């Protein structure tokens, strides 16, 4: 049976419903550019532009270029914007993908979950429906692991952030917790057949490479110490946020007690007026300061700090587990 013809409006509505982002496919050359840029300026933090294509549920990253390091200045910011436009124009002239799909940035020991990252995401979302941020950590990569991850903001969090409403009531209504701010997208490294064949030719015949030896380094003290230091700082910040909420709830309970006392006095006065045949007065007085609502402190900062604490704990746990495995391996080798 022939399918009925769909109208142009039905087709347009169907096309607007984009499939969810499942994977970020990034070219090996783009990864090398990101690693080179981040390691050259480490421990300073750097950023750059990601270029590629948005194809269905796959976001393809085919190229990238670094942003110049600049200070906070309006004139220099304008120069940075002109630099980006000029770079993309040059790439378009040489027939290279110049569609912006996000940006990359370096981080130090995974300390990237900040309000600035969220604001950058929201600025990108104004012009790009789907964008990602590639986070690279040179300090963690020195431990023998490619510390590369792709992040995006969850849709429910972006809706709350646009409305600037992070009260406990709204968070409960949306069922949003601190783990629902960022979504990590799996990364798939892609290379052309020609590059894969070339890399096979370059591969050394020796079964063990220098990279394999680097993974057996037993010295993890500096990495662990910095992680623990950052974790302690985050715990102090979280304690300060909790003090803000304790102060808020103390003031709220004090205000509610004052309101009840005022209402009891007003009801007693109204009963006296009724007995005297007079009109009762309204129980609530909006002009009274005790009926003015106390603003609830936003929970975004505490959510981000909790996210960061979880990240540090996972890193410490991972490094400690790897260190125990290496020590047991070296003990077995020593005994043999």
């Amino acid at each position: 049976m022939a399918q009925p013809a769909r109208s142009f409006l039905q087709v347009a509505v169907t096309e607007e419903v984009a499939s969810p982002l499942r994977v970020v496919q990034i070219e090996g050359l783009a990864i090398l550019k990101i690693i080179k840029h981040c390691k050259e300026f480490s421990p300073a933090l750097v950023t750059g532009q990601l270029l590629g294509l948005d194809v269905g549920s796959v976001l393809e990253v085919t190229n990238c270029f670094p942003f110049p390091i600049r200070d906070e200045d309006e004139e220099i910011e304008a120069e940075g914007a002109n630099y980006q436009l000029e770079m993309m124009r040059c790439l378009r002239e040489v027939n290279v993908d110049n569609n912006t799909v996000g940006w990359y940035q370096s981080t130090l020991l995974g300390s990237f979950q900040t309000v600035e990252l969220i604001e950058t995401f929201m600025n990108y979302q104004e012009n790009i429906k789907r964008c990602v941020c590639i986070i690279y950590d040179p300090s963690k990569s020195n431990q023998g692991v490619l510390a590369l991850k792709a992040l995006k903001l969850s849709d429910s969090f972006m809706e709350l952030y646009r409305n600037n409403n992070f009260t406990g009531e709204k968070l409960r209504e949306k069922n949003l917790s601190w783990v629902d701010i960022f979504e990590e997208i799996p990364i798939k490294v892609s290379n052309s057949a020609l590059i894969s064949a070339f890399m096979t030719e370059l591969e050394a015949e020796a079964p063990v490479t220098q990279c394999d030896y680097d993974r057996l380094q037993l010295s993890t003290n500096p990495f662990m110490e910095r992680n623990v230091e950052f974790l302690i700082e985050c715990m102090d910040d979280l304690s300060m946020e909790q003090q803000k909420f304790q102060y808020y709830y103390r003031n709220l309970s004090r205000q509610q007690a004052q309101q009840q006392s005022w209402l009891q006095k007003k009801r007693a006065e109204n009963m006296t007026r009724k007995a005297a045949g007079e009109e009762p007065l309204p129980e609530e007085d909006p002009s009274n300061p005790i009926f003015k609502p106390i603003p609830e402190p936003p929970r975004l900062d505490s959510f981000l700090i909790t996210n960061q604490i979880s990240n540090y704990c996972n890193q410490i746990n991972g490094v400690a587990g790897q260190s125990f495995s290496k020590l047991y391996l070296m003990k077995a080798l020593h005994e043999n």
Side-chain angles (χ1 to χ4, degrees):
M1 183 176 179
Q3 294 289 337
R6 296 191 300 170
S7 66
F8 176 78
L9 181 60
Q10 290 174 331
V11 175
V13 171
T14 306
E15 292 296 327
E16 283 182 359
V17 181
S19 56
L21 185 59
R22 301 294 184 189
V23 64
V24 175
Q25 181 175 301
I26 182 169
E27 295 282 344
L29 180 60
I31 292 181
L32 291 177
K33 288 182 178 179
I34 294 173
I35 294 174
K36 181 175 181 293
H37 182 213
C38 295
K39 281 195 172 182
E40 280 182 351
F41 293 92
S42 181
L45 304 182
V46 295
T47 60
Q49 192 89 4
L50 297 176
L51 306 173
L53 299 170
D54 185 359
V55 184
S57 61
V58 179
L59 193 68
E60 298 182 3
V61 179
T62 57
N63 202 356
C64 64
F65 63 86
F67 291 157
I69 297 179
R70 54 180 175 78
D71 299 323
E72 295 296 330
D73 192 338
E74 291 185 359
E75 294 183 1
I76 300 180
E77 269 190 33
E79 290 179 4
N82 294 333
Y83 167 79
Q84 296 178 38
L85 295 174
E86 185 65 20
M87 281 292 296
M88 296 175 71
R89 184 186 66 80
C90 294
L91 292 171
R92 184 170 61 249
E93 289 179 355
V94 295
N95 200 23
V96 176
D97 290 336
N98 56 77
N99 301 315
T100 301
V101 295
W103 80 102
Y104 70 85
Q105 69 179 53
S106 61
T107 184
L108 180 63
L109 297 176
S111 54
F112 57 86
Q113 303 189 26
T114 60
V115 177
E116 289 76 13
L117 178 63
I118 295 175
E119 291 176 350
T120 307
F121 260 117
M122 300 305 295
N123 292 333
Y124 270 83
Q125 288 284 344
E126 291 180 0
N127 302 314
I128 307 170
K129 289 185 179 180
R130 293 199 303 187
C131 67
V132 296
C133 176
I134 302 292
I135 306 289
Y136 178 71
D137 191 344
S139 58
K140 190 176 179 181
S141 296
N142 292 334
Q143 303 297 317
V145 180
L146 180 60
L148 198 72
K149 60 175 62 180
L151 298 176
K152 67 181 288 291
L153 291 179
S154 63
D155 296 334
S156 54
F157 175 79
M158 284 194 292
E159 182 181 351
L160 278 180
Y161 192 84
R162 288 192 183 100
N163 299 329
N164 195 21
N165 193 347
F166 285 98
T167 60
E169 181 182 355
K170 279 294 180 182
L171 292 172
R172 287 189 294 270
E173 179 184 331
K174 295 291 184 180
N175 196 21
L176 189 73
S177 65
W178 58 270
V179 296
D180 301 320
I181 298 179
F182 296 101
E183 293 180 9
E184 185 172 352
I185 311 298
I187 293 179
K188 177 183 177 183
V189 181
S190 172
N191 286 315
S192 65
L194 186 61
I195 292 178
S196 299
F198 180 66
M199 293 298 294
T200 304
E201 286 188 1
L202 292 179
E203 188 175 353
E205 296 181 359
V208 180
T209 62
Q210 183 61 39
C211 183
D212 296 322
Y213 288 121
D214 291 341
R215 293 193 184 98
L216 293 176
Q217 288 183 3
L218 300 179
S219 175
T220 58
N221 289 338
F223 186 80
M224 290 284 288
E225 287 176 4
R226 296 296 298 276
N227 266 287
V228 172
E229 288 175 2
F230 287 170
L231 179 60
I232 293 172
E233 291 178 4
C234 283
M235 294 299 295
D236 291 339
D237 294 338
L238 185 62
S239 176
M240 293 178 64
E241 290 295 323
Q242 290 177 340
Q243 290 176 9
K244 292 180 184 178
F245 282 101
Q246 290 172 358
Y247 179 74
Y248 162 74
Y249 284 117
R250 280 199 302 269
N251 288 340
L252 187 63
S253 60
R254 189 183 300 115
Q255 184 189 55
Q256 290 173 349
Q258 292 175 351
Q259 290 175 354
Q260 291 297 325
S261 175
W262 192 87
L263 287 173
Q264 289 176 1
K265 291 180 180 178
K266 186 63 68 174
R267 286 167 185 166
E269 183 180 351
N270 284 336
M271 291 177 65
T272 306
R273 292 177 66 89
K274 282 183 181 179
E278 299 177 357
E279 287 291 329
L281 297 174
E283 291 187 353
E284 292 188 4
D285 184 9
S287 61
N288 196 319
I290 64 174
F291 289 101
K292 185 179 179 180
I294 301 175
E296 181 179 345
R299 298 175 183 260
L300 177 60
D301 290 336
S302 59
F303 272 28
L304 290 174
I305 294 171
T306 307
N307 248 322
Q308 199 63 62
I309 290 174
S310 174
N311 190 29
Y312 289 142
C313 290
N314 290 335
Q315 289 182 167
I316 293 172
N317 187 29
V319 173
Q322 292 175 6
S323 299
F324 277 118
S325 300
K326 293 174 186 177
L327 289 173
Y328 282 125
L329 176 61
M330 294 304 296
K331 180 183 177 181
L333 292 174
H334 182 70
E335 290 177 351
N336 293 333

